[in-house]
Amino acid sequence: MRALAMLASLVGLVLFSVVLARLTLEPSQASADLVRSNVHPGNSIRAYLEDASAGSAAKQLGGNLLLGVPFGILLPVLVPQTRGVLRVAVPTAVVMVLVELIQGALVTGRAFDVDDALLNTAGALLGYLFLGRRMSRAVHPRRRHWWHRWGAAVRRAAGRRRPEREPRTGAG
């Protein structure tokens, strides 16, 4: 079961990478004169919310959020050490900033936009919180730390068990 889940996650990550590359690294000759880089967090988001139609804003903002969701689901399944909000956010932000840098430097009609990386990272966090954490725990159950195992071994060797709790009474 575990190997199958890992294989499915690896296939999913490869497919996600292909989709990410197609969406972000394909040249767009038509918009070459229209794109502008954005290095100030919030500028693009504000512009979409103020100037664009509701449909266009939802497409841009929602699309960038959705683009990060698979990363938040698949990363902790493939690499259980990345389980945790910061441990998902940091590698996602690094990968998304690299994609934006490549996009801005090498791809015609595309530009670096820090807001895209922020939205992608927020999407990864949502994916992790809603599904990735559960999937990772199902594939990689938490191990007991060495000090827990050591304490249990010491108690067994001493012939003691943990004291049982006394039932609570309704009074006082």
Side-chain angles (χ1 to χ4, degrees), residues 14 19 31 37 50 58 71 86 90 93 99 101 124-125 128 141 156:
V14 169
V19 169
S31 61
S37 292
E50 291 174 355
F71 212 77
L86 281 177
V90 171
V99 167
L101 286 170
L125 292 176
Y128 172 73
R156 274 194 306 273

Side-chain angles (χ1 to χ4, degrees), residues 65-133:
L65 278 172
L66 287 175
L67 196 58
V69 169
F71 212 77
I73 295 171
L74 298 172
L75 184 65
V77 172
L78 288 171
V79 185
Q81 293 82 4
T82 60
R83 197 173 2 192
V85 173
L86 281 177
R87 290 178 179 184
V88 168
V90 171
T92 301
V94 168
V95 167
M96 296 309 178
V97 166
L98 286 174
V99 167
E100 288 294 322
L101 286 170
I102 292 168
Q103 203 177 339
L106 302 177
V107 183
T108 305
R110 303 284 185 166
F112 175 86
D113 190 342
V114 70
D115 288 341
D116 287 353
L118 291 172
L119 288 167
N120 296 151
T121 303
L125 292 176
L126 290 172
Y128 172 73
L129 292 173
F130 285 114
L131 194 56
R133 181 173 43 182

